[in-house]
Amino acid sequence: MQKRNILITGGAGFIGSHVVRLFVNKYPNYNIYNLDKLTYAGNLKNIKDIENAPNYTFLKADIVDANQINNLFEKHQFTDVIHLAAESHVDRSITNPIDFVMTNVVGTVNLLNAAKNLWKNNLSENIFYHVSTDEVYGSLHDGGFFLETTAYDPQSPYSASKASSDHFVRAYHNTYNLRVVLSNCSNNYGPNQFPEKLVPLFINNIRNNKPLPVYGKGENVRDWLYVVDHARAIDDVFHKGRIGETYNIGGFNEWTNIDLIKVICKAMDKKLDRIDGESEKLITYVTDRAGHDLRYAIDAHKIMKELGWEPSLQFEEGIEKTINWYISNEAWMNEVTSGSYQNYYDALYAKR
Ligand code: NAD
Ligand code: TYD
């Protein structure tokens, strides 16, 4: 197996931690460098199990700081990048778009520049893999699915910043021959997701008998994929994806928010020995998110046909595993919801 020094950014976050774990365990011959700023969303406990692995190094750094990034590329001679670091929550992007421009756009361009400069004499092997979202395609209203060829139509500051970063990555391929590959994935769920996103937030609120704030009528549709299946797809795209190509990743698993929430409520009633229907009583309809995208749905045939990837888990099994994880990792949840979390929660939800 080829010796590689792979930089994974955002590896203390939700998806990044699952990607780091997979690469550290599956590829002992690769040196895995996890670069993360440790924002509110980054948590080294997410990857505690591999922190002492001989092929793993953690680097605390901010991708917005170009000097710091250039120095790290020089020092560690990264051969490849798998870029996941981002500001990732739509509601926060509505409150504070500039953080999204800085990390998602400027941070990505800093990484592209550092890679271009280090790899300039050896543009035949290195890979710059940019991990993106289906939200860049905008909102589906009349059926159909997002294809890799669907025109970009981002609607939130978050998706606009991700779309912009995707364009820069493609521009560096086109202009400088940087060997890039991209993937755009649907909504992920699973262990270690920060409880600002729907699934862990609702599990935590049910556990604490707090209201479940459903935006609008709960009729928005999302396409849900278990996070480990996304990490497996990233492994496939990194090793087998064609340079310059984009791969859409999704589980063909669409749910309206309200139906998904009812599944979570039912499963939680069972786990917590509550009467069937008790958690559903916590559902509270609140003011809709501004510019709320109606439906996302990925057509994942390209990655399935070309790279042989497919989801390993049915949704029922995935949600069961997820709920079990949050229930048996109360300490993790209590820690991430202490401190500034309460201020965030009050500021966002009091207004609704
Ligand atoms: P997350 O918010 O859980 O984690 C982001 C990580 O990036 C954190 O560890 C954070 O500390 C780090 N980070 C943020 N700003 C940084 C900076 N300036 N410098 C260095 N590190 C920084 O996000 P996630 O849900 O794991 O998403 C990871 C990636 O996958 C993102 O690029 C996101 O756009 C994409 N994505 C997410 C989903 C989803 O459902 N969560 C779906 C498709 C694509
Ligand atoms: P989220 O997990 O924030 O992901 P995204 O907006 O990136 O798809 O939200 C998933 C869906 O759940 C989305 O339609 C918004 C909705 N939602 C609520 O109804 N209430 C909430 O408190 C949150 C966080 C989300």
Side-chain angles (χ1 to χ4, degrees), residues 222-269:
R222 297 292 182 264
D223 177 1
W224 294 92
L225 182 69
Y226 191 63
V227 63
V228 174
D229 281 331
H230 187 188
R232 289 175 48 249
I234 289 173
D235 181 17
D236 285 343
V237 172
F238 179 75
H239 286 100
K240 299 187 273 181
R242 281 182 295 139
I243 296 302
E245 290 290 315
T246 296
Y247 295 87
N248 280 356
I249 305 168
F252 292 104
N253 179 42
E254 289 181 57
W255 290 83
T256 61
N257 289 342
I258 194 65
D259 285 345
L260 175 78
I261 289 159
K262 286 181 179 167
V263 168
I264 296 173
C265 287
K266 248 190 175 334
M268 287 292 285
D269 281 344

Side-chain angles (χ1 to χ4, degrees), residues 86-91 93-94 100 104 132-133 135-136 154-163:
E87 288 291 337
S88 68
H89 188 40
V90 174
D91 291 320
S93 82
I94 294 169
F100 288 69
N104 298 0
S132 194
T133 166
E135 303 193 25
V136 298
Q155 300 291 318
S156 73
Y158 164 63
S159 54
S161 68
K162 291 296 291 187

